[in-house]
Amino acid sequence: LTLILIGIVVIMPDLGNATILALTVLIMITVSGVGYRWFTSLLGLVVGASTLVLGSIWIIGVDRVAKIPVFGYVAKRFSAFFNPFNDLSGAGHQLANSYYAMSNGGWFGLGLGNSIEKRGYLPEAHTDFVFSIVIEEFGFFGASLILALLFFLILRIILVGIRAKNPFNSMMALGIGGMILMQTFINIGGISGLIPSTGVTFPFLSQGGNSLLVLSVAIALVLNIDANERRDALYEQMEAEAQGRSEEA
C-alpha cells in the first residue's frame, strides 16, 4: 500500500516528498520490531533500486532521460548536481547561486537582511533554498546554531518515543522525529550539492503553508503523546501508593 502511495507522489512528479515518505516508512518498519532478515531485505531492495536508477541515468545520459515526460525535470536536477556551473543560466542556476550565498556568508555572515543573493540572484530564495540565505546572513556559526536547535528538537521527539510505554505512542513519536530529520537532511543535502536538489522545504523556516501546517500538527501530536505518558505514569504511581497504604492498613 505504501509503495502505491509513494509511486503516485513520484508520478506527480515530486521525488523529494516521495523520498521523505520512503525513508519515513523504512524508519517505521525499523522501529516496529520487525525481524532483521525482513529489514535487511527491505534495505537491500531500497539501495539496489536507488543504485539501478542512478546507474541508468549515468549510462543512458542526462540528455536522453530529459526527453521522458515524467522524469524530464529530474534529469535537469541531476545535470545541475553533476556540475551546476556548466549551465549557469538554466538547470544549474539555483545551485550555483546557493554556493555563492554560502561563500559570501563566511564564518560570521553579512548580517540580518544584508543578503546579496536574495535580491534577485537566487530564485525562490524564501522556499527550499532559504537556508543558503541563512548561511549568507548569519554565517557558519549562526547557521550551525539554528541547526543545533533543530537537532535538539528532533532528539527530544525521539526521546519521547523511546520513553513511551505505549507502543503506538512510541512509534508515532519516532516516526515524526525521523520524518523531520529526513526533511532536514534532504534540504541541506540539496542546497550544498551532496544530493540532487529536490525542492523540499527546510523545517519551520521555508515559506509554505502546507509544510508549516504538517510540522505544527506533528509537534502537537508529540506534545500530546508526552502529556499522556506523563499522566499515565502519574496514575500508576498514585495507584501504587494507594495499594501500598491499603496493604499497610
Side-chain angles (χ1 to χ4, degrees), residues 33 164 169 220:
N169 289 344

Side-chain angles (χ1 to χ4, degrees), residues 162-178:
I162 293 174
R163 294 171 179 172
K165 294 182 179 180
N166 185 293
F168 177 82
N169 289 344
S170 178
M171 290 188 63
M172 175 69 75
L174 291 172
I176 290 172

Side-chain angles (χ1 to χ4, degrees), residues 1-229:
L1 180 60
T2 55
L3 289 176
I4 294 174
L5 296 176
I6 293 171
I8 293 174
V9 177
V10 170
I11 295 174
M12 287 180 61
D14 189 355
L15 279 184
N17 282 306
T19 303
I20 292 177
L21 287 174
L23 293 175
T24 304
V25 168
L26 186 62
I27 291 173
M28 296 300 293
I29 293 174
T30 304
V31 302
S32 67
V34 68
Y36 73 94
R37 293 182 179 177
W38 285 99
F39 171 72
T40 52
S41 299
L42 181 61
L43 182 61
L45 179 62
V46 172
V47 173
S50 303
T51 305
L52 179 62
V53 171
L54 294 176
S56 300
I57 294 176
W58 180 268
I59 295 172
I60 297 173
V62 176
D63 296 333
R64 294 181 180 178
V65 177
K67 297 179 181 179
I68 303 176
V70 176
F71 295 101
Y73 89 105
V74 178
K76 294 180 180 179
R77 298 282 175 89
F78 274 97
S79 177
F81 169 68
F82 292 141
N83 191 345
F85 298 99
N86 284 340
D87 189 10
L88 287 175
S89 61
H93 185 67
Q94 271 194 316
L95 186 56
N97 280 279
S98 175
Y99 289 160
Y100 294 148
M102 290 186 284
S103 177
N104 291 339
W107 291 102
F108 302 103
L110 302 178
L112 181 62
N114 295 329
S115 169
I116 299 172
E117 289 296 323
K118 72 179 182 182
R119 304 181 189 278
Y121 297 99
L122 179 60
E124 306 298 331
H126 53 286
T127 55
D128 49 318
F129 279 84
V130 69
F131 202 71
S132 299
I133 305 302
V134 170
I135 297 175
E136 186 179 16
E137 294 189 351
F138 293 98
F140 175 79
F141 288 115
S144 297
L145 178 61
I146 293 175
L147 272 181
L149 291 173
L150 182 59
F151 285 139
F152 176 74
L153 173 64
I154 295 172
L155 179 62
R156 290 288 299 170
I157 293 173
I158 293 175
L159 285 176
V160 169
I162 293 174
R163 294 171 179 172
K165 294 182 179 180
N166 185 293
F168 177 82
N169 289 344
S170 178
M171 290 188 63
M172 175 69 75
L174 291 172
I176 290 172
M179 179 189 70
I180 300 176
L181 180 63
M182 291 301 103
Q183 183 175 347
T184 304
F185 168 75
I186 292 175
N187 180 270
I188 297 297
I191 69 171
S192 60
L194 295 176
I195 60 175
S197 177
T198 57
V200 171
T201 57
F202 189 87
F204 302 108
L205 284 184
S206 295
Q207 179 180 338
N210 290 337
S211 175
L212 183 60
L213 177 62
V214 171
L215 291 171
S216 299
V217 171
I219 296 298
L221 288 173
V222 174
L223 291 173
N224 191 31
I225 289 171
D226 187 43
N228 287 334
E229 290 292 330

